């Protein structure tokens, strides 16, 4: 191809795999996108969502210019303005708000639309917000409850076994994770282990794509995973198969945990979880006798009232069996903690005024309607579509509709949230800006080189914030650092795992594995806790008012039986990830929306028959918080008493103008103020015509 060049980059989306890709550019136009076959983990494969990413960047409905609202909030009517007009208006409004209410009346609200270090969740805008002294935004929508559970156990919220070592596992527990949809590059390691005789178990309330491909599927009532883990350990301990050498050398609090385990015999656990006693015993015996056992758990299973404790208990299993000592043994929830970059240099939290308050992203409705002293007067939303993605959708809409709230939305498309904006600003996409990436599902760092010029007047998030800082008169020099300067500062870490990873190398090679051994067995000789040991007993948890010994913390709603709530709303609703959307991204892409189809609700045949519902019926799914509409699928993929939808639909693009989050409580999990999307009870009935 004459004049063509290849540009290395990485997928920015909220997925553990962070695929390495190559963009072919001809005469300034991106003409092809393919996975980078050289990358040891992603090996050239892209998912169904990202394969057509170049078409996504050229979508006819893409935002290309700044716009100002000309209709009522929520109507979505805008008129084009210049960048100078937009930035001047933001600066004037913010200065007035700061003068009257103080800087904490401003809430910079960020989502997971980009996982990049420069443009996304790791630090984009943080320096400016610290210098201004705005409210701090706390990312509670995804990993935080389980991260706390991991941290209390292992000493860091984002560490675990190296996913590449699953190829050495002999027993693989895929716990609350639909690997083939949400982490599909891991599957080749699972298949490699299977070829060597490994047994693969999916533990999930739904018979997902992954469960269908596993050797065994264990159905569990949503939110009861910790009880199942304790029941499996009861079998291990009853057989005398705990690894006492490892326990004595590398853990603390064993005797207390042992007593707790003995409180959960298989009979009790069967009653809690809905898993038959004989299945618990059989899997417990397999766990007791199979080394190494590797456990992959992801974020969906911890989105309930006991989610943090559930991840803690599961993370303790390899401490009892001694699997942390082997390649292919242990558990992994998140791997980002192995990339010990210079995060202090990136965020510059030292510039933040003391006592600055925090606001929780999954309590947006509360923040906009109930928080005072000061009230939130300005909202800047970027990399997020909260009307579609956060709990209590109706409350969020009421908050965004406030006439006295000045809202700016930075996005690629006019989302449901954008319809409420006073100003709408166009952002670049991944092929158009620079970024640095690490992953929560492997141990590689990547550089994304901009491949093409941005269309229209789109700007990177980082550049928007630099220009806004100038309009606000910010004099702190570090706020104006370029993207490449920021990347060099992040990589200038003294940690051995970052040794040799420089921006020049990443620009040249595209990606680099952290400087850790292969195979990497991170906790064979110690953990990241203060004690240096895996902590079955956590003094930090006791100080936080939590049970310091791993236990089963019931969900708020999902596992209720014979209560007033469960009689009124007898179905536990979970809404897992789509194969074709990424959170709420791509739901506006016609091809992917067609492949996903209309919103659906799966009902067990018994539950469908009891409600007079058949395949294809239009249903109303509701509770005391709200309702949404979906098409019924009668299926034994779900158990009686459980119903399943799909997350990610844009409300304004579906019947009823709502998705499953209209029924979800604005409530905190047990740790970290995490979200409780899968801790939800509803009723289903035929929708009115």
């Amino acid at each position: 191809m004459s004049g063509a060049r290849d540009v290395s980059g990485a997928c920015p989306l909220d997925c553990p795999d962070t695929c390495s890709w190559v963009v072919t550019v001809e005469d300034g136009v991106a003409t092809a996108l393919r996975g980078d076959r050289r990358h040891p983990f992603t090996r050239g494969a892209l998912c169904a969502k990202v394969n057509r990413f170049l078409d996504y960047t050229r979508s006819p409905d893409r935002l290309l210019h700044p716009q100002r609202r000309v209709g009522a909030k929520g109507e979505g009517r805008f008129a084009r303005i210049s960048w100078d007009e937009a930035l001047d208006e933001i600066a004037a409004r913010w200065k007035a708000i700061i003068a009257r209410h103080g800087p904490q009346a401003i809430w910079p609200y960020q989502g997971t639309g980009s996982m990049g270090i420069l443009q996304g969740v790791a630090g984009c805008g943080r320096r400016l917000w610290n210098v201004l002294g705005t409210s701090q935004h706390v990312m509670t929508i995804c990993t935080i409850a389980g991260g706390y559970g991991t941290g209390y156990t292992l000493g860091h919220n984002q560490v675990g076994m190296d996913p590449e070592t699953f190829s050495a596992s002999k027993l693989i527990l895929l716990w609350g994770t639909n690997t083939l949809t949400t982490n599909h590059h891991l599957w080749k390691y699972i298949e490699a282990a299977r070829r060597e005789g490994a047994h693969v178990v999916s533990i999930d309330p739904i018979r997902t794509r992954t469960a269908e491909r596993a050797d065994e599927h264990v159905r569990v009532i949503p939110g009861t995973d910790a009880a199942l883990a304790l029941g499996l350990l009861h079998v291990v301990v009853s057989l005398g198969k705990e690894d006492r050498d490892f326990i004595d050398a590398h853990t603390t609090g064993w005797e207390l945990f042992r007593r707790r385990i003995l409180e959960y015999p298989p009979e009790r656990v069967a009653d809690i979880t809905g898993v038959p006693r004989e299945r618990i015993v059989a899997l417990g015996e397999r766990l007791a006798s199979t080394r190494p056992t590797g456990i992959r758990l992801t974020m969906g299973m911890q989105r309930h009232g006991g989610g943090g404790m559930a991840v803690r208990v599961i993370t303790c299993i390899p401490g009892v069996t001694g699997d942390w000592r082997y390649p292919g043994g242990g558990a992994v929830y998140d791997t980002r903690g192995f990339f010990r970059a210079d995060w202090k240099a990136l965020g510059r939290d030292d510039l933040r005024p003391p006592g600055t308050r925090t606001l929780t992203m999954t309590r947006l409705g509360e923040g906009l309607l109930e928080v005072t002293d000061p009230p939130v007067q300005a909202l800047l939303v970027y990399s997020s579509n909260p009307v579609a993605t956060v709990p209590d959708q109706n409350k969020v809409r009421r908050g965004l509709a406030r006439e006295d709230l000045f809202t700016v939305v930075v996005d690629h498309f006019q989302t449901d949230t954008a319809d409420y904006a006073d100003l709408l600003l166009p952002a670049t996409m991944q092929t158009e800006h620079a970024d640095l990436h690490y992953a929560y599902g492997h141990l590689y760092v990547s550089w994304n080189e901009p491949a093409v010029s941005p269309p229209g007047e789109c700007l990177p998030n980082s550049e928007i914030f630099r220009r806004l800082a100038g309009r606000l008169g910010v004099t702190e020099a570090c706020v104006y650092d370029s993207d490449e300067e920021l990347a060099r500062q992040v990589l200038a870490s003294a940690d051995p795992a970052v040794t040799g990873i420089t921006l020049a190398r990443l620009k040249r090679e595209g990606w680099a594995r952290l400087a850790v051994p292969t195979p990497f067995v991170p906790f064979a000789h110690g953990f990241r806790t203060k004690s240096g040991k895996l902590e079955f007993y956590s003094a930090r948890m006791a100080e936080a008012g939590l049970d310091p010994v791993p236990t089963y913390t019931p969900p708020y709603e999902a596992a209720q039986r014979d209560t007033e709530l469960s009689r009124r709303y007898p179905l536990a609703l979970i809404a897992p990830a789509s194969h074709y959307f990424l959170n709420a991204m791509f739901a506006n892409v016609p091809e992917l929306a067609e492949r996903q189809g209309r919103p659906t609700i799966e009902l067990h045949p018994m539950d469908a028959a009891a409600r007079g519902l058949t395949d294809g019926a239009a249903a109303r799914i509701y509770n005391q918080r709200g309702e949404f509409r979906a098409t019924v699928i009668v299926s034994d993929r779900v158990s009686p008493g459980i119903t399943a939808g799909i997350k990610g639909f844009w409300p304004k693009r579906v019947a009823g103008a709502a998705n499953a989050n209209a029924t979800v409580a604005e409530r905190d999990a047990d740790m970290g103020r995490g979200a409780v999307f899968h801790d939800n009870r509803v009723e289903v009935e035929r929708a009115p015509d």
Side-chain angles (χ1 to χ4, degrees):
M1 188 182 295
S2 176
R5 62 189 179 94
D6 286 341
V7 181
S8 293
C11 177
L13 303 182
D14 184 10
C15 166
D17 294 0
T18 312
C19 293
S20 179
W21 70 30
V22 179
V23 183
T24 299
V25 180
E26 186 176 14
D27 298 328
V29 177
T31 57
L33 173 70
R34 66 183 187 276
D36 187 345
R37 294 181 179 177
R38 302 172 304 135
H39 195 283
F41 191 85
T42 60
R43 299 186 194 177
L46 298 175
C47 69
K49 299 173 276 287
V50 174
N51 263 319
R52 303 293 293 274
F53 191 82
L54 293 184
D55 292 339
Y56 187 60
T57 68
R58 295 188 281 259
S59 298
D61 55 340
R62 184 165 174 192
L63 298 174
L64 299 176
H65 307 282
Q67 299 178 57
R68 179 186 289 121
R69 177 170 60 86
V70 295
K73 289 196 173 189
E75 285 185 356
R77 293 195 292 122
F78 294 87
R80 180 176 170 178
I81 59 174
S82 69
W83 269 108
D84 284 341
E85 290 175 291
L87 293 170
D88 285 345
E89 183 169 341
I90 297 170
R93 294 288 296 270
W94 280 19
K95 286 178 179 178
I97 288 168
I98 291 169
R100 182 176 179 184
H101 298 283
Q104 293 185 87
I106 300 171
W107 186 356
Y109 188 101
Q110 182 178 18
T112 58
S114 170
M115 301 299 288
I117 292 173
L118 310 181
Q119 307 298 341
V121 296
C124 185
R126 190 175 182 109
R127 290 182 178 184
L128 178 57
W129 317 140
N130 284 334
V131 169
L132 293 175
T134 68
S135 290
Q136 298 179 66
H137 177 69
V138 184
M139 300 285 293
T140 53
I141 202 165
C142 189
T143 67
I144 195 164
Y148 270 65
T150 302
Y152 285 133
T153 306
L154 306 179
H156 193 283
N157 288 22
Q158 298 173 327
V159 294
M161 65 181 283
D162 180 355
E164 292 183 69
T165 66
F166 272 104
S167 59
S169 302
K170 294 302 181 185
L171 173 61
I172 297 174
L173 305 182
L174 301 175
W175 207 313
T177 176
N178 186 7
T179 305
L180 286 169
T181 286
T182 61
N183 187 192
H184 74 100
H185 291 91
L186 185 65
W187 194 255
K188 59 181 169 289
Y189 298 100
I190 294 168
E191 286 290 282
R194 267 177 144 169
R195 289 193 292 271
E196 298 299 320
H199 185 78
V200 179
V201 182
S202 170
I203 302 172
D204 201 297
I206 307 173
R207 192 173 71 245
T208 62
R209 291 169 183 253
T210 302
E212 289 174 345
R213 295 275 296 275
D215 300 304
E216 183 179 351
H217 175 209
V218 177
R219 295 177 185 261
V220 63
I221 292 172
T224 64
D225 304 270
L228 178 59
L230 290 163
L232 297 177
L233 288 175
H234 189 284
V235 177
V236 173
V237 171
S238 297
L239 293 171
K241 293 290 189 176
E242 67 269 25
D243 187 333
R244 290 308 302 262
D245 289 342
F246 185 88
I247 289 169
D248 292 344
H250 298 296
T251 74
T252 63
W254 166 243
E255 189 53 39
L256 289 171
F257 187 35
R258 179 180 173 278
R259 291 179 202 162
R260 179 62 50 79
I261 290 168
L262 294 178
E263 296 173 9
Y264 287 86
E267 296 80 7
R268 180 186 180 195
V269 171
D271 182 62
I272 294 170
T273 64
V275 180
R277 177 190 179 280
E278 58 271 19
R279 296 288 306 278
I280 297 168
V281 172
L283 184 54
E285 289 173 346
R286 189 183 290 274
L287 174 64
S289 60
T290 310
R291 306 277 75 76
T293 290
I295 305 172
R296 177 58 166 147
L297 60 161
T298 53
M299 291 69 201
M301 57 81 62
Q302 50 89 63
R303 293 181 180 137
H304 62 84
M309 189 65 84
V311 173
R312 169 157 162 75
V313 176
I314 295 167
T315 306
C316 285
I317 291 175
V320 177
T321 60
D323 278 296
W324 285 116
R325 68 165 84 215
Y326 307 113
V332 59
Y333 178 71
D334 192 342
T335 59
R336 285 174 290 181
F338 293 114
F339 179 51
R340 286 183 273 193
D342 194 341
W343 299 118
K344 290 183 179 180
L346 177 67
R348 292 301 307 272
D349 290 349
D350 58 298
L351 300 172
R352 182 194 307 147
T356 305
R357 74 177 177 191
T358 59
L359 295 173
T360 305
M361 72 179 300
T362 48
R363 285 182 171 266
L364 177 59
E366 175 187 87
L368 296 180
L369 295 174
E370 300 170 21
V371 166
T372 58
D373 196 26
V376 175
Q377 294 291 300
L379 185 72
L380 171 65
V381 179
Y382 58 111
S383 298
S384 185
N385 180 10
V387 170
T389 59
V390 304
D392 208 337
Q393 200 165 84
N394 296 322
K395 188 175 182 180
V396 169
R397 289 181 187 275
R398 292 196 300 273
L400 290 171
R402 279 175 41 202
E403 285 300 327
D404 64 333
L405 177 69
F406 177 59
T407 301
V408 179
V409 172
V410 182
D411 213 315
H412 307 128
F413 300 99
Q414 190 172 323
T415 64
D416 289 83
T417 306
D419 287 344
Y420 289 87
D422 295 289
L423 294 176
L424 192 50
L425 306 180
T428 49
M429 289 193 185
Q430 186 76 348
T431 52
E432 303 150 7
H433 57 228
D435 214 339
L436 181 66
H437 288 268
Y438 61 153
Y440 61 93
H442 59 68
L443 302 179
Y444 295 83
V445 184
S446 304
W447 174 252
N448 184 79
E449 184 72 11
V452 294
S453 299
E457 296 181 278
C458 297
L459 292 175
N461 287 345
S462 56
E463 179 61 20
I464 293 172
F465 300 148
R466 283 189 284 263
R467 294 188 185 190
L468 179 57
R471 288 303 206 286
L472 290 166
V474 172
T475 58
E476 180 62 50
C478 72
V479 170
Y480 301 98
D481 285 349
S482 70
D483 294 340
E484 292 197 3
E485 288 171 332
L486 291 170
R488 291 189 181 94
Q489 292 163 21
V490 169
L491 294 169
S493 168
D495 187 79
V498 189
T499 300
I501 302 178
T502 63
L503 181 57
R505 178 186 171 190
L506 292 175
K507 278 175 161 283
R508 183 174 64 251
E509 300 175 10
W511 45 266
R513 179 175 163 89
L514 295 179
V516 296
T518 302
F520 183 40
V521 187
F523 308 123
H525 305 293
F527 293 83
R528 300 255 294 256
T529 57
K530 285 186 178 180
S531 66
K533 298 183 177 184
L534 184 149
E535 296 187 348
F536 294 132
Y537 178 90
S538 170
R540 289 197 298 138
M541 292 185 72
E543 292 168 3
L546 299 166
D547 191 328
V549 181
T551 192
Y552 165 55
T553 302
Y556 297 122
E557 297 186 7
Q560 285 194 30
R561 285 178 291 181
D562 298 323
T563 64
E564 181 181 351
L565 181 70
S566 67
R567 286 187 288 271
R568 187 176 180 190
Y569 303 113
L571 298 170
L573 170 66
I574 55 177
S578 162
H579 199 69
Y580 301 105
F581 305 159
L582 199 295
N583 299 327
M585 294 181 70
F586 305 114
N588 63 320
V589 176
E591 178 189 350
L592 294 175
E594 182 177 354
R595 294 174 75 179
Q596 175 57 56
R598 293 175 294 178
T600 57
I601 193 76
E602 292 192 58
L603 289 170
H604 187 273
M606 290 173 54
D607 290 325
R611 291 162 177 78
L613 296 170
T614 56
D615 263 328
R620 171 180 175 250
I621 303 92
Y622 66 95
N623 61 18
Q624 72 274 32
R625 293 177 283 268
E627 65 178 67
F628 66 101
R629 305 296 174 90
T631 300
V632 171
I633 296 176
V634 180
S635 170
D636 64 358
R637 284 174 15 104
V638 294
S639 299
I642 297 172
T643 186
I646 292 291
K647 72 175 183 178
F649 289 97
W650 288 16
K652 67 180 179 180
R653 296 177 65 90
V654 298
N659 64 23
N661 288 337
T663 65
V664 175
E666 192 179 61
R667 194 173 190 178
D668 298 340
D670 54 339
M671 299 179 193
R673 305 197 73 184
V676 295
F677 291 107
H678 298 153
D679 198 347
N680 187 17
R681 299 199 72 84
V682 299
E683 179 58 290
V684 179
E685 66 180 17
R686 186 176 295 275
D689 292 338

